[in-house]
Amino acid sequence: MSKRIVAGNWKMNLTAEEAVNLFKEIEERLSFSEVDVKVFVPSIYLQSLTGLSEKITIGAQNFYPVSKGAFTGEISPIQLRSIGINTVLIGHSERRDLFGENDDFIQSKVKSALENGMDIILCCGESLETRDAGNEVKFVTGQLSSALSIVESASMKNITIAYEPIWAIGTGKTSSSQQAEDMHLAIRNWLDSKYGPTVAGSTSILYGGSCNAANAKELFACPNVDGGLIGGASLDAETFLTIISSF
Ligand code: PGA
């Protein structure tokens, strides 16, 4: 059985005070449940928020896939581990599009994170042009095929997939639940063909892209949607908690 997961991606939002207040409110009001809750916070808040966290896993939005050295401005997986962070986001379309992270680089991040014993949420998703051309499944499974090319079955327990159609991210335009289910099923079938039914059945596949308090219930009711990766709607405690309770 795949785990139910709701993860917030705060991106480059919130001052230090706002971040602590939001985090405390979510942590205090969250009841222990079947849902695994994670929050990917800006790197400067990782250490302080980890100290406050009992029910929520704090994850890093980014890292550089080398242990140490002359990489000004970057953070290594070893440094993340040294402050208690062992969950990372990889392959987000904003990293791909705005910061030039290509498939090879994403593959090296996956390798590095696994070598350092980290859990990964691996993002994939197509542009509107790709969908309009009817190539979305080929494109998304191609991204996964590249990112996971060196990943063995045994390591798949550390990997969660997030399907995030680029045209739905931050646009208010959500994919319909049918579009999400179709893609999630295609991803699960792809996992089955690469790793077999056990891995396919136990890998969580999250939906991301304008998921909010109003549409989460319908999306999470899809048989192959195991939860969500939530951007804008994770910045408000009430909304985020409503999404978490939408299963
Ligand atoms: P959004 O972002 O919920 O604001 O669309 C999702 C994401 O980019 O992870």
Side-chain angles (χ1 to χ4, degrees), residues 9 11 92 94 164 168-171 208-211 229-233:
N9 176 9
K11 307 191 180 184
H92 193 283
E94 285 151 20
E164 300 207 299
I169 295 179
T171 57
S210 299
C211 183
L229 178 57
I230 320 296

Side-chain angles (χ1 to χ4, degrees), residues 26 59 63 114 160 173 176 179 189 191 194 202 234-235 247:
I26 300 167
F63 67 99
L114 290 175
T160 295
K173 196 175 162 187
S176 70
Q179 285 171 320
N189 288 339
L191 287 169
K194 182 170 164 74
S202 57
S234 70
L235 297 171
F247 284 98

